[in-house]
């Protein structure tokens, strides 16, 4: 492995500031595990820190992996250690120092990330972190998922065919409507790193968005049977599996998959609240009652005081609407106080729409949600996740006496994604088949 005065270089030619070859080796392995969304990165970054406690970049990596696993208090400790070592100038290169700054004190715009990646295109930790900020709509109004592809351009040019970079880009290409390119990127990444959960996720999105539900079922069935379950995406991939059952109008299978791997009683992932609420709310809109909302609302209450993203709070609102109306009031008040959030107006409208829907004021719900339909991407997440807002709008329209508009919205979505569930729903709304009774 190449060496210089700092220590050793990674496969992107980047120097890391440790003279301990074992610490460097652990760090390089941990970075790959982290980029593959493998929870074992926590243990491997921790080993690098143990071998060289003054290795600031290893502390940063540990913080990122802990945060990804939902272990926020421990992540803050690791980030604090990285920032302290950076301030002390303790064996930290210019690249690593900037890397630490960009993660521990994120700028409000993309420019700083773009500049860093132009200079250091192999710094995929920074690229992945910026992608998360954009996905969660935590940075600069007007930026979206396509911003990740622009940030990644120097890296793609410098490292064509890299499995980790392809895994990061797969979902972003899919969200940019470039389905064929996304599928190629995911397949390339999985060819070189078969356990890459990031590529798996992008691949599943492509299959889902292009209507290949049997392929989603087959691929995920094989994935769950053979791949290590330790991943921050494990529950979310199970959500995709449950969605396939609902697409087939098989509520029993959907609930079985929910209880096996998504219910807060069995899952403690960062995505659990969002994934659980999304499954149950779809079942609710499909006419099913007696759903197990209590644990989901309890999880939302427990996390209400923590820093949150808009996507999280929209799904918390669904749980509160079903099982804790007072929680919904508190959640809205929290967003009303968030005066510097660029997506505040959209989120407040969605929360008001959900509250009106829960209270049976379907005209008002349709007005609130319809008013922000064109800006629904500002709640963050993927299009499949944002569809829960569209579904709620269509249900409100139907129950407010305007099924034709609801059918038109769903038909417009059909141009994007072939959905068996949408086809059944459109038929009901147009009167071709009897509508299901929707619980109040």
């Amino acid at each position: 492995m190449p060496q210089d005065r700092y220590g050793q270089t990674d496969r992107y030619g980047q120097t890391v500031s440790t003279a301990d070859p074992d610490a460097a080796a652990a760090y390089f392995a941990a970075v790959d595990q982290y980029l593959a969304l493998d929870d074992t990165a926590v243990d491997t970054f921790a080993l690098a820190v143990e071998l060289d406690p003054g290795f600031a970049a290893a502390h940063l990596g540990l913080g990122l992996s802990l945060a990804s696993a939902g272990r926020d208090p421990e992540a803050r400790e690791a980030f604090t250690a990285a920032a302290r070592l950076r301030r002390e100038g303790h064996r930290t290169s210019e690249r690593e120092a900037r890397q630490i700054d960009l993660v521990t004190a994120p700028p409000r715009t993309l420019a700083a990330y773009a500049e860093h990646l132009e200079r250091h295109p192999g710094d995929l930790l920074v690229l992945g972190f910026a992608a998360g900020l954009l996905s969660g709509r935590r940075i600069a109004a007007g930026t979206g998922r396509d911003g990740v592809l622009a940030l990644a351009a120097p890296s793609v040019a410098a490292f064509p065919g890299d499995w980790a970079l392809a895994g990061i880009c797969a979902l972003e290409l899919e969200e940019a409507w470039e389905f064929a390119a996304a599928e190629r990127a995911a397949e390339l990444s999985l060819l070189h790193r078969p356990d890459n959960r990031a590529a798996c996720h992008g691949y599943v999105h492509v299959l889902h968005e292009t209507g290949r539900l049997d392929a989603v079922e087959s691929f995920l069935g094989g994935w769950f049977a053979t791949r290590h379950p330790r991943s921050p995406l494990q529950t979310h991939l199970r959500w995709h599996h449950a969605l396939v059952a609902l697409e087939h109008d098989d509520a029993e299978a959907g609930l079985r998959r929910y209880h096996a791997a998504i219910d807060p009683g069995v899952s403690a992932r960062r995505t659990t609240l969002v994934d659980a609420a999304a499954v149950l709310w779809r079942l609710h809109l499909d006419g099913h009652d007696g759903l197990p909302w209590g644990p989901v609302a309890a999880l939302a209450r427990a996390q209400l005081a923590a820093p949150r993203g808009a996507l999280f709070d929209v799904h918390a609102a669904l749980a509160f609407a079903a099982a804790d109306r007072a929680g919904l009031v508190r959640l809205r008040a929290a967003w009303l106080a968030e005066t510097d959030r660029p997506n505040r107006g959209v989120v407040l409208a969605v929360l008001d729409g959900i509250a009106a829907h829960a209270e049976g004021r379907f005209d008002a719900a349709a007005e609130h949600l319809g008013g922000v339909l064109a800006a629904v991407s500002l709640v963050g997440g993927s299009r499949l996740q944002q569809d829960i807002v569209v579904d709620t709008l269509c249900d409100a329209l139907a129950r407010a006496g305007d099924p034709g508009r609801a059918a038109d919205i769903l038909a417009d979505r059909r141009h994007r994604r072939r959905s068996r569930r949408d086809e059944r729903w459109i038929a009901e709304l147009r009167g071709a088949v009897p509508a299901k009774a929707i619980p109040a």
Side-chain angles (χ1 to χ4, degrees):
M1 187 177 294
Q3 298 188 20
D4 70 4
R5 66 187 182 88
Y6 281 116
Q8 320 219 17
T9 57
D10 64 14
R11 59 193 176 89
Y12 302 104
Q14 298 175 135
T15 298
V16 292
S17 298
T18 179
D20 185 327
D22 293 331
Y27 176 79
F28 297 147
V31 168
D32 280 352
Q33 289 164 347
Y34 176 76
L35 294 173
L37 298 181
D38 185 341
D39 275 356
T40 57
V42 171
D43 301 326
T44 316
F45 276 124
L47 175 60
V49 167
E50 179 182 350
L51 291 169
D52 184 355
F55 188 4
H59 286 276
L60 183 74
L62 178 59
L64 286 167
S65 60
L66 286 165
S68 181
R71 295 162 61 178
D72 291 340
E74 296 168 87
R76 284 192 290 272
E77 291 180 8
F79 289 143
T80 298
R84 175 181 56 78
L85 290 168
R86 183 257 187 275
R87 285 194 308 273
E88 294 172 354
H90 189 83
R91 275 194 293 111
T92 305
S93 69
E94 176 274 334
R95 179 189 66 83
E96 292 167 319
R98 189 58 175 149
Q99 180 189 64
I100 291 167
D101 292 343
L102 290 170
V103 172
T104 60
R108 293 183 62 81
T109 69
L110 284 178
Y113 296 97
E115 179 185 5
H116 181 80
L117 289 165
E118 283 282 354
R119 296 184 64 188
H120 307 288
D123 200 340
L124 297 196
L125 288 184
V126 167
L127 176 61
F129 181 76
L133 291 179
L134 286 167
S135 173
R137 288 290 182 175
R138 293 177 180 271
I139 193 168
T143 57
R145 300 296 295 255
D146 54 347
V148 179
L149 296 175
L151 284 179
S155 305
V156 172
F159 305 103
D162 179 73
W163 68 263
L165 184 57
I168 291 172
C169 289
L171 180 60
E172 309 307 330
L173 288 164
E174 179 273 320
E175 289 293 297
W177 308 95
E178 298 183 37
F179 296 141
E183 189 166 354
R184 287 194 300 271
E187 289 175 341
L188 181 152
S189 184
L190 290 169
L191 177 66
H192 293 282
R193 179 93 183 201
D195 67 343
N196 185 4
R197 284 82 170 171
C200 167
H201 187 212
Y203 187 60
V204 167
H205 266 269
V206 172
L207 296 177
H208 212 133
E209 288 277 20
T210 53
R212 289 176 282 171
L213 297 178
D214 291 341
V216 177
E217 180 76 31
S218 175
F219 177 77
L220 284 179
W223 181 272
F224 295 139
T226 60
R227 297 299 168 203
H228 198 292
R230 287 189 61 184
S231 170
L233 271 184
Q234 192 68 12
T235 299
H236 186 63
L237 292 174
R238 296 285 182 174
W239 172 74
H240 281 278
H241 205 211
L243 285 195
V244 173
L246 301 190
E247 285 283 331
H248 287 295
D249 201 20
D250 192 343
E252 182 179 349
L255 273 171
R256 186 167 60 250
R257 291 172 181 181
Y258 173 88
H259 286 299
I262 304 171
D263 187 296
V266 298
S267 173
R269 293 292 177 185
R270 183 174 291 282
T271 67
T272 297
L273 184 281
V274 172
D275 296 329
V279 171
L280 296 185
W281 192 258
R282 281 177 171 82
L283 286 165
H284 168 69
L285 296 182
D286 285 348
H288 301 280
D289 56 10
L291 298 169
W293 280 107
V296 188
L299 178 60
R301 283 193 299 272
Q303 298 181 359
L304 192 58
R308 306 168 314 275
L311 187 72
F312 176 95
D313 281 354
V314 165
H315 287 79
L318 299 176
F320 288 146
D324 183 359
R325 302 289 173 81
L328 189 50
V329 172
R330 293 194 301 275
L331 183 60
R332 187 188 189 281
W335 268 91
L336 198 60
E338 293 280 4
T339 56
D340 63 343
R341 294 272 195 120
N343 53 359
R344 174 178 177 267
V346 170
V347 174
L348 282 171
V350 172
L351 298 183
D352 287 342
I354 291 170
H357 188 283
E359 295 164 2
R361 297 183 292 110
F362 300 113
D363 282 330
E367 182 177 356
H368 287 303
L369 298 173
V372 295
L373 179 60
V376 71
S377 65
L378 289 176
V379 303
S382 68
R383 285 191 299 272
L384 278 174
Q385 291 174 309
Q386 295 155 13
D387 277 348
I388 202 71
V389 178
V390 182
D391 287 0
T392 307
L393 167 61
C394 291
D395 179 68
L397 286 167
R399 299 185 72 175
D402 195 357
R405 186 181 171 211
D408 288 344
I409 291 171
L410 292 170
D412 183 66
R413 185 164 73 184
R414 181 171 55 193
H415 296 306
R416 181 196 102 208
R417 172 166 55 86
R418 297 189 296 277
S419 166
R420 298 177 189 180
R421 181 172 177 269
D422 281 2
E423 293 298 335
R424 294 191 301 272
W425 199 355
I426 291 169
E428 291 173 4
L429 292 166
R430 301 219 189 275
V433 298
K436 295 179 181 179
I438 300 173

